[in-house]
Amino acid sequence: MIERTAERGGRVTPVHGPGAGAPPLAGLGEEGERAALAADARDTVCRRAEFLLPPLPASARHPEVAYFAGNSLGLQPRAVRAAVQAELDDWALHAVEGHHRAAHPWLPYHAELREDAAALVGAAPEETVVMNSLTVNLHLMMATFYRPAGERTRIVIEDHAFSSDSYAVRSQAVHHGLDPDETVVRLRPRPGEDCLRTEDIVGYLAREGHRVALVLLGGVNYLTGEFLDIPAVTAAGHAAGCRVGWDLAHAVGNVPLALHDWDVDFAAWCSYKYLNAGPGAVAGCFVHRRHVTDPDLPRLAGWWSTEQATRFEMRPELVPVPTADAWQISNPPILAMAPVRVSLRMFAETGMAALRERSLALTGYLEALLAEVVRDRPLEIVTPSDPARRGAQLSLRVGGGAGGGGGGGDADATGLADRLHRVHGVLADVRRPDVIRLAPVPMYSTFHDCWRAADALAAEVTPS
Ligand SMILES: Cc1ncc(COP(=O)(O)O)c(C=O)c1O
């Protein structure tokens, strides 16, 4: 699939073709825009019409927003409002009896979401549960899987780990009476590089793994968009005797996952990014079958951890269930579960295979357009160019001169993102100090959105 290589800053970067379904590369002019619109007209996977797009600032030149922030907060599916309203109606109609008599009975509500969630992450239904929020689930998983003992105390994360993960693992170290600075190991990319290399992670685990209790990495890194080699890292961790868990916030609904076959110990994800289930939406969790069937594993528990049949007998001791449900603690928030149910159904209907194929085409197309833009501008794509090592997101580092459209001056990713939005209706997000993230989301983004993003960057960043 490699078509050519481009030399940037002394590094040779492979540039891949956009892939099937993408428009012919007719560049940024009118012909290019027509080609993008024609490719959108042919598209059969995109479900944009089923989502609500935020209105544009009056200053923007286009009638509709080009939304590239679905890796931060996904758009609202139109069907969500009715699904939440239906639960409100069932609550009004049935009150306490809604636990059994609601259209989607509340008592086993979480079980309705299980199969769709499992399919999305490549798991068996009994390995999957929708509950809580992401960082809470990571803590619940660590309560089980982070058991420092002897010299095996370390937790390995990426240096570019999302801050919440960093805080979570440091607090786990403290919780166990350990020094977080000594306990938490942050894996850094090689000097001059932005992304981690699989061989370096594997090498670290081969050398130091006997001191590591837990490896907890992001499947797709929030900043660089790098999709780590989950099976290779998991195998290396296991070979060294470590537990291996994954934060899949930026991976779920974005890249194909096979958590069971990859032998992952546990994983957790949120549902508000690519899954479009709304701000703070109820999250998901995976625990491998070999663990869910082990009743001796330590777990934190509550009344939703016990088997459903005897739950209301109010016994002092719970009856363990051989599924990921055993990690549930409280009864789930039904009003917040309804959007997750809608969203997971949409993924089940469209299928990750079709979404990934479309994603490869969209992101490949955006990358090819951006390659032209960044060539003579102070911008750099930091996401891996190999499509197998990334999902939808492309991260751009904004260098000096990319401010004010006039060249020169400080790196100003925030100012640039603001102008992309105000002037061009292109909504991207910034991770300070200097990274703009663009995520063409296969569920609803279009080739024309990608063309607009590249066109807007070309207009706003002065060639150097
Ligand atoms: C990679 C990653 N981990 C953790 C979090 C924190 O998630 P939550 O607030 O849902 O616990 C986020 C939020 O965006 C994230 O991107």
Side-chain angles (χ1 to χ4, degrees), residues 198-220:
T198 305
E199 71 254 36
D200 291 349
I201 306 174
V202 168
Y204 174 82
L205 292 172
R207 281 192 318 278
E208 295 290 328
H210 59 286
R211 297 183 214 279
V212 174
L214 175 67
V215 180
L216 180 58
L217 300 170
V220 171

Side-chain angles (χ1 to χ4, degrees), residues 33 37 40 46-68 75 78 358 420-428 444-453 456:
E33 182 170 22
L37 288 166
D40 288 332
C46 182
R47 297 177 67 168
R48 188 190 192 89
E50 295 172 58
F51 288 86
L52 292 163
L53 289 162
L56 273 180
S59 49
R61 293 193 286 143
H62 289 268
E64 205 172 65
V65 71
Y67 192 70
F68 284 93
L75 293 176
R78 290 177 186 273
R358 183 162 194 272
L420 292 178
H421 188 210
R422 268 191 300 106
V423 181
H424 303 271
V426 172
L427 187 44
Y444 50 69
S445 296
T446 63
F447 292 106
H448 190 231
D449 289 340
C450 296
W451 183 90
R452 281 176 56 190

Side-chain angles (χ1 to χ4, degrees), residues 71-72 133-136 138 162 164-165 218 220 222 247 249-250 270 272-273 280-281 283 431:
N71 57 341
S72 187
S133 51
L134 168 54
T135 312
V136 169
L138 289 175
F162 194 83
S164 193
D165 297 29
V220 171
Y222 84 99
D247 174 343
H250 287 263
C270 59
Y272 45 78
K273 300 177 186 294
R431 283 296 170 264

Side-chain angles (χ1 to χ4, degrees), residues 70-209:
N71 57 341
S72 187
L73 182 71
L75 293 176
Q76 183 183 138
R78 290 177 186 273
V80 156
R81 186 177 293 265
V84 175
Q85 185 63 51
E87 299 305 341
L88 287 170
D89 292 345
D90 273 347
W91 178 18
L93 189 64
H94 300 298
V96 71
E97 291 183 306
H99 287 295
H100 300 282
R101 298 182 58 181
H104 301 278
W106 303 330
L107 201 57
Y109 199 96
H110 67 279
E112 260 199 63
L113 283 58
R114 193 197 308 283
E115 296 221 350
D116 289 345
L120 205 52
V121 297
E126 72 269 22
E127 294 174 313
T128 315
V129 59
V130 172
M131 60 179 190
N132 308 314
S133 51
L134 168 54
T135 312
V136 169
N137 285 341
L138 289 175
H139 274 300
L140 293 181
M141 292 293 103
M142 285 191 275
T144 295
F145 295 106
Y146 178 55
R147 314 293 299 177
E151 68 167 351
R152 196 184 278 282
T153 56
R154 290 183 187 168
I155 307 175
V156 172
I157 62 172
E158 345 62 310
D159 196 35
H160 284 324
F162 194 83
S163 58
S164 193
D165 297 29
S166 187
Y167 307 154
V169 296
R170 289 177 65 84
S171 69
Q172 283 284 333
V174 172
H175 177 68
H176 286 275
L178 299 166
D179 177 348
D181 292 332
E182 282 174 15
T183 304
V184 176
V185 175
R186 308 180 71 94
L187 296 181
R188 289 199 171 80
R190 293 184 187 186
E193 298 188 6
D194 292 295
C195 296
L196 287 168
R197 296 192 189 198
T198 305
E199 71 254 36
D200 291 349
I201 306 174
V202 168
Y204 174 82
L205 292 172
R207 281 192 318 278
E208 295 290 328

